[in-house]
Amino acid sequence: MPTRTVAVAARTGLHARPAALFVKAAADQETPVRIRVGDGPAVPAASMLSVLSLGVGHGTEVTLEADGPGADAALDALAALLARDLDAEEPADA
Amino acid sequence: MPDLDAPARALRGIGVGPGLAAGPVARMAAPPDLPAPRPVADTERELADAVRALEATEADLRARSEAAEGEARDILSAQAMIAADPTLREGVAERVRAGEDAAHALRATFDRHRELLASLGGYLGERAADLDDIAHRAIAAVLGRPMPGLPSPGHPFVLVADDLAPADTVGLDTGTVLALVTERGGPTSHTAILARALGLPAVVGCAGILDVTDGTVVAVDGTSGQVRTGVGDDEAADVRARAAEERSRLAAGRGPGRTADGHPVDLMVNIGSAADLRGADLDGVAGVGLFRTEFLFLDRKDAPGLEEQVTAYAEAFALFPEGTVVVRTLDAGADKPLPFLGLPEEPNPALGVRGLRISRDRPDILDTQLEAVARAAEKAAADVWVMAPMVATPVEAAAFVDRARAFGLRTAGVMVEVPAAALRAERLLQVADFLSIGTNDLSQYTLAADRQSGALADLLDPWQPALLQLIAACADAGRRSGRSVGVCGEAAADPALAPVLVGLGVTKLSMSARCVPAVRARLAAYDRAECEELARRALDAADAAEARAAVL
């Protein structure tokens, strides 16, 4: 199964606004994506509660996994998102 | 049909936001009670009901998010995403298919996620409370009850609630809310702080207010704490006219604080950052009496660096080119935890390592902060003072003053929040340049009543004679040494208490910017001898209620 491993760049980790941006992007993908920390259980990336419960801090490496059509494109898009400091970016619609 | 109207009656609570208002009550709906579980015949229909409830909750939160701004918008938007969470929906579906009714399936599923988040602690632990709020909304929707949260009756109203939490008041429209009245809560509760920040009349700890039905017209006196229910049109109109008159009278008062006979009292403002003063009317304000510096340190993995601190302090100092700015060094502890301090959990955080006590193990944090304040002060026209929170002994005070002077800060003082400090005020002033009394903590420690406890609100009342006696001890010490003694807790924002504090000998009162006009107007009504007489009467009372009655 295709995977990507990436360190979370957001200063506050995957909480609050960075988590919301990530979960929304995951829900927008055509293929379901899962996320895990190390060898921990993989949870749906489109689930806010599951993503929050991972308790991912700044710099933590997470692994994204997906299977099926468009999996690689979805993983690339989400990995690129996590590699940005989402805390430093202004909300687009504010 | 006046004969059928409920007779007017008076309820009494603690006035925490001065001013008058009259209008119809709208109560904040309480979280719904869960009815007894019931057997489910049609599980698919039950599941559809549960899903609809989650969708309605999401739509409601989404709409509120779009109407909000800034941080509130982000919080509500994240809550909407949680309501729409597929994992939540799966959990509910599993339980309904196993035979549970929709309301219980929602409750149990939310509870499981709540426990999971709570077990992670810190930021996520706090989000557990948000999850409860979402659960209450979804359960209310499935039971066909009114959504808990702020009412929107479509006309101006007096907001009545059991108590108000910060999350409840996100999006509170000060254009339609006339006053706040809560059944529980005390003078330092969120409701009180919010009311002062918004300049709304407010009464807390008002037993019986929740029994007043929606639409009943009440007259609220946020100074005396009286709430009259079932008032007629004439009385309501009279109260509104008096409120309007009061507002224009206050707006007309200008200039620095002083008593009727011209005795000066510095009126100052409390701020958390320079942004707090945006749009504030600072006429006659002598400066910042309490600059809380915690905002720089919250939500941080590491302590903010020297340069970052210099910039933030300089921004605040620039607002008062001719005034004084009193900077309080970091006030954190187990009750206001900061991850980078690595403080262990404590059984009694209010009595633990907090405020200046942190520098016992981490002198570097205080040193960096003092250096940053000194550097920013060098370039500022404002007269910059520093003070330490949670000082208990003259030795601690002397150590702090020495550190401050080592960085070139000329004026260094301490806060009086601990009874031991008030009792030794004279000794403190032999080493410190000034005292600033934090009445919220001083009343918590003097009356042995937790600041968060609504049930003990009467003990936390700043009118408690024991608290006033400790303030008097500090003021006496100040008078003898010729040094400044100010009050920067919620007590300083109470206009009725202002002449009492001045009568006790307090020379500076620091409060939210919006409270300044009411305090200035009240002070101007008494000469100094009258203030001293009011102080004697308050000190002579047996408890807070008697003290207030003796003065008002």
Side-chain angles (χ1 to χ4, degrees), chain B residues 269-282 285 287-288 316 319-320 511-513:
Chain B
V269 293
N270 296 347
I271 63 170
S273 71
D276 285 356
L277 292 176
R278 216 170 281 147
D281 177 5
L282 298 176
V285 168
V288 174
L319 294 170
F320 285 92
M511 65 208 83
S512 312

Side-chain angles (χ1 to χ4, degrees), chain B residues 366-408:
Chain B
L366 180 63
D367 279 356
T368 305
Q369 192 173 22
L370 290 172
E371 186 179 353
V373 172
R375 290 252 306 264
E378 269 169 30
K379 286 175 259 168
D383 185 15
V384 175
W385 300 10
V386 284
M387 64 181 180
M390 282 299 283
V391 170
T393 69
V395 173
E396 287 176 348
F400 173 77
V401 172
D402 282 349
R403 292 313 301 154
R405 298 231 202 285
F407 288 103

Side-chain angles (χ1 to χ4, degrees), chain B residues 238-530:
Chain B
D238 178 53
V239 168
R240 285 191 201 104
R242 277 172 31 217
E245 202 176 292
E246 175 81 358
R247 271 195 300 274
S248 57
R249 190 174 64 80
L250 293 183
R254 312 297 292 170
R258 60 189 150 226
T259 58
D261 56 338
H263 169 65
V265 179
D266 286 342
L267 300 180
M268 308 182 82
V269 293
N270 296 347
I271 63 170
S273 71
D276 285 356
L277 292 176
R278 216 170 281 147
D281 177 5
L282 298 176
D283 176 72
V285 168
V288 174
L290 171 62
F291 180 10
R292 303 182 180 96
T293 52
E294 287 76 63
F295 77 100
L296 272 169
F297 296 81
L298 297 174
D299 297 324
R300 301 282 298 233
K301 289 240 156 35
D302 312 294
L306 183 68
E307 293 305 326
E308 184 184 348
Q309 292 193 47
V310 172
T311 308
Y313 302 145
E315 199 188 327
F317 298 165
L319 294 170
F320 285 92
E322 287 161 20
T324 304
V325 178
V326 185
V327 180
R328 179 179 70 188
T329 56
L330 181 62
D331 188 14
D335 56 334
K336 295 184 232 174
L338 296 175
F340 62 83
L341 292 176
L343 294 172
E345 268 193 39
E346 293 185 89
N348 287 313
L351 303 179
V353 178
R354 50 171 294 204
L356 181 67
R357 298 168 180 189
I358 288 171
S359 66
R360 290 166 179 235
D361 277 341
R362 296 292 305 271
D364 54 309
I365 291 176
L366 180 63
D367 279 356
T368 305
Q369 192 173 22
L370 290 172
E371 186 179 353
V373 172
R375 290 252 306 264
E378 269 169 30
K379 286 175 259 168
D383 185 15
V384 175
W385 300 10
V386 284
M387 64 181 180
M390 282 299 283
V391 170
T393 69
V395 173
E396 287 176 348
F400 173 77
V401 172
D402 282 349
R403 292 313 301 154
R405 298 231 202 285
F407 288 103
L409 288 157
R410 284 189 306 276
T411 313
V414 296
M415 288 200 68
V416 176
E417 296 150 291
V418 180
L423 293 169
R424 309 283 279 175
E426 187 137 25
R427 294 280 204 100
L428 288 180
L429 282 175
Q430 286 168 7
V431 292
D433 296 316
F434 67 95
L435 301 180
S436 180
I437 304 169
T439 47
N440 302 350
D441 272 326
L442 187 58
S443 59
Q444 134 162 304
Y445 296 129
T446 302
L447 281 299
D450 191 324
R451 274 173 70 167
Q452 313 295 329
S453 169
L456 303 176
D458 57 317
L459 294 177
L460 288 159
D461 191 323
W463 286 78
Q464 280 293 350
L467 178 71
L468 299 177
Q469 195 174 332
L470 289 179
I471 295 173
C474 294
D476 284 345
R479 208 162 11 213
R480 280 193 295 276
S481 60
R483 298 190 162 182
S484 158
V485 174
V487 170
C488 67
E490 292 297 319
D494 179 348
L497 194 53
V500 173
L501 296 174
V502 170
L504 293 173
V506 168
T507 57
K508 286 180 173 18
L509 296 172
S510 191
M511 65 208 83
S512 312
R514 284 181 192 251
C515 297
V516 170
V519 170
R520 170 167 44 213
R522 189 63 79 105
L523 275 181
Y526 299 92
D527 62 32
R528 196 173 176 187
E530 285 170 324

Side-chain angles (χ1 to χ4, degrees), chain B residues 14-42:
Chain B
I14 299 170
V16 293
L20 298 168
V25 160
R27 284 174 300 182
M28 197 160 84
D33 287 329
L34 217 50
R38 58 180 170 75
V40 174
D42 185 345

Side-chain angles (χ1 to χ4, degrees), chain A residues 3-64:
Chain A
T3 62
R4 301 285 185 283
T5 297
V6 58
V8 172
R11 260 174 290 160
T12 57
L14 221 37
H15 298 158
R17 212 163 67 79
L21 292 171
F22 172 73
V23 168
K24 187 167 183 324
D28 288 344
Q29 303 300 325
E30 283 168 27
T31 302
V33 177
R34 299 173 76 79
I35 176 171
R36 61 181 156 85
V37 178
D39 293 328
V43 300
S47 159
M48 185 72 169
L49 283 168
S50 306
V51 169
L52 284 180
S53 303
L54 291 176
V56 175
H58 169 77
T60 303
E61 286 204 337
V62 297
T63 301
L64 304 171

